[in-house]
Amino acid sequence: MHQPTLMDLRKHERIKFELRLAGSSLADISRELGISQAAVSTVSMGWRRSRKIQSAIAVRLGQEPEQLWPKRYRKKESSK
C-alpha cells in the first residue's frame, strides 16, 4: 500500500475544503457512489487509487481527475 506523503495529506485537506466550498463533502460522494466513506477518504489521501472515486470528486469540483492528481496519470504525449 502506498504510504501518503505530507503533500498527499495536504491535498486531501484541500480537497475536503474545496468540497465544502462547493456545498459537498467526501461523505456525500460516498453516499452517491454507494461505497464507504473510508474508501473515498483513502483515495483522496493517496493510499489507494480509484478512477471512479477520483472522477466523482473531480466532477464535484468542476475539474478533471488529472488536474487534482497529476502524478497518478501519465502525461499525454503531444502529437508531432
Side-chain angles (χ1 to χ4, degrees):
M1 175 166 35
H2 169 74
Q3 190 71 344
T5 64
L6 181 58
M7 217 163 149
D8 291 332
L9 297 175
R10 284 182 178 156
K11 181 173 287 291
H12 171 68
E13 291 301 322
R14 180 69 187 196
I15 287 169
K16 292 190 320 183
F17 173 73
E18 289 181 11
L19 284 169
R20 281 193 304 274
L21 290 177
S24 189
S25 68
L26 294 175
D28 290 339
I29 291 169
S30 72
R31 283 189 291 275
E32 174 187 305
L33 297 177
I35 57 178
S36 72
Q37 187 173 343
V40 177
S41 290
T42 57
V43 169
S44 177
M45 284 189 284
W47 287 45
R48 299 269 191 228
R49 294 179 183 198
S50 166
R51 180 71 155 159
K52 176 180 167 180
I53 295 170
Q54 291 169 184
S55 293
I57 292 169
V59 165
R60 291 284 177 105
L61 297 177
Q63 297 182 40
E64 295 294 323
E66 293 85 355
Q67 293 172 284
L68 292 172
W69 297 280
K71 291 182 180 179
R72 295 183 185 184
Y73 295 90
R74 282 194 256 177
K75 293 183 180 182
K76 294 178 184 176
E77 295 184 30
S78 57
S79 52
K80 296 180 180 182

